[in-house]
Amino acid sequence: MLQLKQKLSEKIDQHRPRTTRLLKEFGEVKVDEVKIRQVIGGMRGLKCLVTDISYLDPYEGIRYRGMTLPEVFEKLPKPEGKQYPYVEGLFYLLLTGEIPTKDQVLEIVEEFKKRRQLPQYVIDVLRAMPTDSHPMVMFSTAVLVMQRESKFAKFYREGYNKWTAWEYMLEDAMNLLPKLPTIAAYIYRMKYRSDIHIPEDPSQDFGGHFAHMMGIPEPFDDVARMYFIIHADHESGNVSAHTGHLVASALSDPYYAISAMLDGLAGPLHGLANQEVLRWIQGMMKKFGDKLPSEDDMKQYVWDTLNAGQVIPGFGHAVLRKTDPRYMVQREFALKHLKDDLLFKYVDMLFKIVPPILKEQGKAKNPWPNVDAHSGTILWYYGVREYEFYTVMFGIGRSIGVLSNIIWDRALGYPIERPKSITTDMLEEIAGIK
Ligand code: HAX
């Protein structure tokens, strides 16, 4: 048995009595109140989900299993000579809550290598799709078409047991996750690199494999590790994580859940925002003749965007109330590797100029930059210039968190999700106006 599975099994055994006790003895204790503005307003702030994988503090940003991103980067084992840790180690951390030893990580690295090749039918399906299909559509389709491989679905058909179901979810996750970089790179090379594909290099870890299959040299392998790790999880109420959880709650297997979560990630207010950011900044660069504008000219451009009724992409957040630490991780990387790049200089200037303007406008609750304000800049610098592909990379990262969450969902026997809806008439009655 993999050390990961052994450790996870111990953790699940330790955890189950906590959930059982809460349900049995404290099931009627009130957690929160529901206000009309939350019912109409996308359930913002409503405490109605539970996850131990990550927690988003509005002022501090994301913690994975209690650790900040800098702590995660410092503590997880790294490949020799690399700046960022093994992505496989993050999977271990999110699942078990413990920092793995190098040996425990290398076991997953080797396991993933055995499972990352694509079945031919996945390639056939991708090749049969219209060439102008969005890469997110291709990505989601490739995951969905592999549903026939699901060990969880087979287990369900052949006699389901609630308490061992997580083992089949883990098996599906171990089969699906390492294939995601392979699928993504295949889509990329098929669509944008003359359909010329690169044979895999068996020495590469998850991040290195992606960079290699994309055909982009070092340090893009480290960009990939950093990018996948910072995008992995953002607690469970965001659209992608929540969709994955919701779909899996119907006992749909990980292939269905990940395909669905990718569809949610593809929305412009969520994972697609990184492509919107770059489109917007490059529109500005074009206007200023590919030179850095004066602060006043940039301020005017920002105001013009707002006055046209548009949002400033890459700024604001539904939960965060400070600069996103995922933005800061990327900024640190950019200051080290691309500080003289014109696009980065624009991002750097916007970092200073936009927040005071959003504060002055007084609408956005959070005027600070989010993860998406930066990511496109780094990818562009290393030659990934097809904006529409950026969300695919986000999706690889987010799958690590969603898969960890849905394995735990089954381990703790969470039920099918089914909130109650009411009518506008009823809301008016509750408000006392009817
Ligand atoms: N520029 C201009 N106006 C903004 C704004 C921004 N960046 N962010 C919020 N606002 C506006 C909202 O549109 C809203 O206006 P209306 O009342 O007219 O509808 C008002 O401020 C209040 O919004 P909020 O409560 O602060 O923000 P929400 O929780 O409703 O929305 C969003 C959060 C991230 C969707 C929002 O800030 C936004 O649209 N930002 C730009 C797009 C973006 O960067 N998205 C990526 C977010 C990170 C992520 O999830 N990545 O996957």
Side-chain angles (χ1 to χ4, degrees):
M1 190 193 279
L2 275 183
Q3 295 179 71
L4 168 67
K5 187 170 178 188
Q6 180 61 45
K7 176 62 74 181
L8 182 55
S9 175
E10 288 164 24
K11 294 285 171 180
I12 290 170
D13 285 346
Q14 286 162 17
H15 197 109
R16 277 178 176 157
R18 295 173 63 194
T19 306
T20 309
R21 178 162 187 233
L22 282 168
L23 259 179
K24 246 186 164 165
E25 295 178 33
F26 305 98
E28 298 310 312
V29 175
K30 202 153 97 182
V31 176
D32 211 349
E33 283 181 343
V34 187
K35 304 205 169 97
I36 288 180
R37 81 174 142 70
Q38 294 173 305
V39 175
I40 298 179
M43 296 190 274
R44 200 69 88 258
L46 197 63
K47 297 189 187 80
C48 58
L49 291 166
V50 55
T51 176
D52 298 293
I53 309 284
S54 69
Y55 181 74
L56 179 58
D57 181 275
Y59 295 97
E60 196 190 52
I62 192 67
R63 276 182 185 260
Y64 292 160
R65 291 286 187 176
M67 281 171 232
T68 62
L69 288 177
E71 282 166 354
V72 168
F73 284 135
E74 194 209 309
K75 290 183 177 160
L76 283 179
K78 299 181 181 66
E80 212 58 40
K82 298 297 176 186
Q83 195 182 341
Y84 293 100
Y86 285 106
V87 175
E88 293 87 337
L90 180 80
F91 187 51
Y92 187 104
L93 170 65
L94 294 186
L95 277 174
T96 66
E98 287 188 11
I99 295 286
T101 61
K102 190 143 189 181
D103 179 53
Q104 286 164 333
V105 175
L106 290 179
E107 202 182 36
I108 307 174
V109 171
E110 291 311 313
E111 199 58 35
F112 276 10
K113 282 181 191 173
K114 290 184 219 153
R115 305 183 189 216
R116 68 190 179 198
Q117 295 73 23
L118 302 184
Q120 182 58 39
Y121 68 83
V122 174
I123 293 172
D124 294 343
V125 167
L126 289 173
R127 302 192 74 80
M129 293 180 76
T131 51
D132 63 352
S133 302
H134 193 284
M136 280 301 277
V137 176
M138 293 186 152
F139 196 32
S140 172
T141 304
V143 171
L144 189 60
V145 79
M146 285 192 290
Q147 189 277 336
R148 60 191 287 283
E149 316 269 346
S150 173
K151 302 283 185 268
F152 179 86
K154 185 166 182 281
F155 170 66
Y156 187 81
R157 281 194 306 272
E158 293 175 359
Y160 186 71
N161 172 339
K162 189 171 175 179
W163 302 115
T164 54
W166 69 268
E167 295 180 29
Y168 299 86
M169 295 293 280
L170 176 65
E171 189 59 20
D172 278 357
M174 295 288 297
N175 279 327
L176 175 58
L177 189 54
K179 291 188 180 64
L180 298 180
T182 319
I183 298 171
Y186 191 90
I187 294 171
Y188 186 77
R189 305 260 341 157
M190 179 176 74
K191 270 180 91 70
Y192 316 116
R193 290 293 177 272
S194 314
D195 206 6
I196 297 169
H197 300 274
I198 299 169
E200 90 157 85
D201 169 358
S203 71
Q204 298 290 352
D205 64 307
F206 193 95
H209 171 66
F210 176 71
H212 173 78
M213 299 301 275
M214 291 283 286
I216 308 175
E218 292 176 355
F220 194 68
D221 56 333
D222 255 337
V223 172
R225 290 183 195 97
M226 178 262 280
Y227 195 92
F228 297 150
I229 291 175
I230 65 173
H231 286 87
D233 210 37
H234 222 222
E235 49 170 66
S236 56
N238 63 78
V239 170
S240 51
H242 189 198
T243 307
H245 164 77
L246 173 66
V247 172
S249 84
L251 299 190
S252 300
D253 58 61
Y255 295 88
Y256 280 123
I258 293 298
S259 177
M261 85 86 181
L262 290 170
D263 301 342
L265 191 67
L269 294 186
H270 192 20
L272 214 73
N274 52 19
Q275 85 176 47
E276 299 300 318
V277 170
L278 211 53
R279 200 189 306 279
W280 179 69
I281 298 179
Q282 292 189 329
M284 187 177 355
M285 283 171 77
K286 197 165 167 207
K287 173 161 178 178
F288 295 122
D290 287 331
K291 289 196 200 76
L292 214 54
S294 68
E295 285 203 4
D296 283 346
D297 284 347
M298 189 179 267
K299 280 181 189 163
Q300 192 52 52
Y301 194 93
V302 172
W303 274 115
D304 289 349
T305 303
L306 290 172
N307 292 336
Q310 291 162 21
V311 295
I312 307 299
F315 287 78
H317 200 271
V319 178
L320 271 172
R321 293 296 175 258
K322 69 157 235 184
T323 298
D324 192 334
R326 302 172 298 173
Y327 176 94
M328 293 310 283
V329 165
Q330 297 182 90
R331 180 174 164 80
E332 202 181 299
F333 181 93
L335 285 168
K336 185 167 171 192
H337 294 278
L338 46 135
K339 78 174 186 333
D340 295 325
D341 178 60
L342 181 64
L343 196 56
F344 172 64
K345 287 185 174 166
Y346 265 77
V347 170
D348 189 40
M349 251 179 109
L350 288 165
F351 185 37
K352 292 175 198 118
I353 280 176
V354 173
I357 294 180
L358 286 178
K359 278 188 198 165
E360 191 182 329
Q361 192 209 25
K363 274 171 76 176
K365 294 192 189 67
N366 175 35
W368 306 106
N370 62 55
V371 63
D372 296 312
H374 217 307
S375 44
T377 311
I378 297 177
L379 301 180
W380 180 270
Y381 182 79
Y382 288 106
V384 186
R385 301 202 160 176
E386 300 76 10
Y387 306 149
E388 56 176 19
F389 188 74
Y390 296 169
T391 317
V392 173
M393 288 187 61
F394 191 156
I396 299 174
R398 183 51 53 90
S399 301
I400 306 166
V402 173
L403 286 167
S404 305
N405 268 290
I406 62 179
I407 291 167
W408 270 95
D409 288 352
R410 290 295 69 76
L412 298 178
Y414 289 160
I416 186 165
E417 195 177 299
R418 201 342 181 157
K420 178 86 185 85
S421 52
I422 52 178
T423 65
T424 306
D425 277 344
M426 290 172 186
L427 276 183
E428 284 167 346
E429 271 168 37
I430 292 167
I433 53 173
K434 198 160 182 150

